[in-house]
Amino acid sequence: MVIAGGLPVGIARAAAGAKPVRFGLSSFPPNLHPFEYTGTASLTVKLMLYRGLLSYAPDGTLRPELAQEWRQVDPVTYEFVLRENARFHDGTPVLAEDVKYSFELIADEKSTAHLRKDFQIVKTFEVFGERSLRIVLKQPSVTFPQVLAAGYAVVVSRRSAAPNFIGAGPFTLDNVERGSSVTVKAFPEFFRAGVPGPSAIHFIAMPDESLRIAALESGDVDIIEYVSTQYFDRLKNGADVGLESANGPFMYLLFNVQEGPFTDPRLRHAVACGIDRNAVNAAAFSGVGTPFDHLPVPPSPAYDAALVSERFGYDPARAKALLAEAGVGGGLVIELLSTSQYAQHNDTALVIQQNLAEIGINANLSLPDWATRVSRGNRGQYHLAVQGTAGAFNDPDAVSAYIEGGQVPSYTRPFGYNNARVNELLSAGRQEMDNAKRQKIYAEIDGLIVQDAPLLSLLWRPQAYGVRRSIRNFAPLPGFLSFQSALRLEDVTSA
């Protein structure tokens, strides 16, 4: 037991007046498997229970997490020393063998881990001391430390297995009411002094956004996620509530390129010419989004969208000509998948449906709840799908998660897409350290994605949270990291 001022840490925190925090989730987590991607609401809870070697500070910079220190020995070798006071929730120490066990689970060829593909770059995991680990890569990777900081590269006890993995996060799992709520309580032996701030966090599933807003305003919850732009002014001007947001997530369209009508690239190009991004922004995002038509890469010295000049802008006449060339004219009927659970996804789908009708494509809308939308997307049960997400880190290589072939099918990726040249260039881009050379690599990738059109970027959007003014120390992380903003919950205090 860790001691603080003569008292066990847990007792010391209680004496300091730690309070529980109530968080309104946009959906109930489909599962709490630490390595699988099941949406940001799930990740929010998982980051309470699990931590990795590295993570992110509030300003988005890398910080040691379970690792006390780390260094890059040479272009392909990293060494980590674990904290002596890092403990799993069963009280056992976090050791190098646990890290090796966890990362080998992620990298296994039968793994369903979100980062399985990213971990294929690892040549060996070498334990050379009880708390010392060496990771040797097959080739250099400018972004490998960022991969290790992702919320899906966590460490679990080697004494545990799915579905009952034991983590080392700031909270332990207390209670689950299936479909309704998840409660986590402070872990008194968490390694970081004075953390977590809350004595517990009650995650309450509230799929209806209007109910989340009402619960926040009434004080029934303290924080809510996924605030639509239509509510921004209302919360900004609230007496007891406020708004915290960061640009970073992006909205896009995904094609099923393996089966169905969009195996024909001419039809994908027709859709690309038929989409009015400004109309999507106005109708679904109250005009506060930023439309774009290039690779979804946040500002970076390693990427310049201007290097690719040939793109499919909004051109309904060209869209109709492409349909005619493909021999379908105005008789194409497709299935458009989105979700009714998130207003911005739902409203985007409505605009896309209208855009497509104007060029002669009849889109039948499918708007299930989020869990069903995820399941259908993973199985490729759509022709065209609306999706919104953010990359794992603020680097061009983050797009690998969406366009690199050979990965486990995911609702975040175009179903069946695999271009050998794109894969080759992505590998070259993550090995190259010179930003000028990386710009040229990603420009070629950008051009190939324009040509193949497996996905269509729509716009950047804010990731916003509604927060009671009594809550301190919570704000989203910047850029793509906004989906890992739950890392800030460990610092929250309540007046």
Side-chain angles (χ1 to χ4, degrees), residues 11-245:
I11 297 175
R13 286 174 186 149
K19 298 179 180 179
V21 169
R22 299 154 300 174
F23 191 109
L25 284 177
S26 57
S27 64
F28 185 81
N31 67 53
L32 294 177
H33 192 302
F35 306 132
E36 293 183 355
Y37 187 100
T38 50
T40 306
S42 294
L43 181 60
T44 295
V45 180
K46 292 175 189 179
L47 285 174
M48 302 302 95
L49 306 174
Y50 303 100
R51 291 299 166 90
L53 291 177
L54 308 176
S55 70
Y56 293 100
D59 65 356
T61 57
L62 280 172
R63 73 176 182 187
E65 192 72 18
L66 294 176
Q68 178 175 314
E69 57 186 69
W70 65 285
R71 68 188 183 114
Q72 185 172 3
V73 179
D74 58 45
V76 296
T77 307
Y78 297 84
E79 291 183 350
F80 302 85
V81 178
L82 300 177
R83 298 177 186 271
E84 290 189 9
N85 64 337
R87 295 286 184 274
F88 289 113
H89 295 159
D90 63 358
T92 59
V94 178
L95 302 178
E97 288 289 354
D98 298 299
V99 181
K100 183 174 184 288
Y101 169 77
S102 303
F103 289 174
E104 286 179 344
L105 284 178
I106 294 173
D108 187 85
E109 63 178 11
K110 296 181 180 179
S111 167
T112 57
H114 184 56
L115 297 178
R116 188 192 70 83
K117 182 70 174 180
D118 301 83
F119 271 74
Q120 300 312 301
I121 195 174
V122 176
K123 181 180 180 181
T124 58
F125 300 108
E126 302 171 4
V127 173
F128 63 98
E130 191 176 56
R131 289 186 171 85
S132 301
L133 180 81
R134 181 182 298 115
I135 299 178
V136 181
L137 308 183
K138 298 172 184 175
Q139 63 263 343
S141 170
V142 69
T143 57
F144 187 69
Q146 304 277 354
V147 171
L148 293 182
Y152 301 96
V154 298
V155 175
V156 298
S157 170
R158 66 187 185 279
R159 300 171 183 83
S160 64
N164 299 310
F165 285 117
I166 300 172
F171 295 86
T172 62
L173 189 62
D174 185 32
N175 184 58
V176 177
E177 293 186 18
R178 178 60 54 184
S180 177
S181 66
V182 178
T183 300
V184 298
K185 62 181 179 180
F187 178 45
E189 296 186 69
F190 189 59
F191 59 82
R192 191 169 288 121
V195 173
S199 60
I201 302 179
H202 304 296
F203 293 102
I204 307 162
M206 297 180 169
D208 187 304
E209 184 178 12
S210 62
L211 293 181
R212 289 201 303 277
I213 296 290
L216 179 72
E217 292 175 329
S218 68
D220 289 337
V221 296
D222 302 299
I223 306 174
I224 61 171
E225 63 176 356
Y226 279 104
V227 176
S228 297
T229 54
Q230 62 182 304
Y231 292 106
F232 275 22
D233 288 341
R234 175 171 164 179
L235 294 188
K236 285 179 181 178
N237 299 320
D240 300 316
V241 300
L243 187 76
E244 296 287 348
S245 69

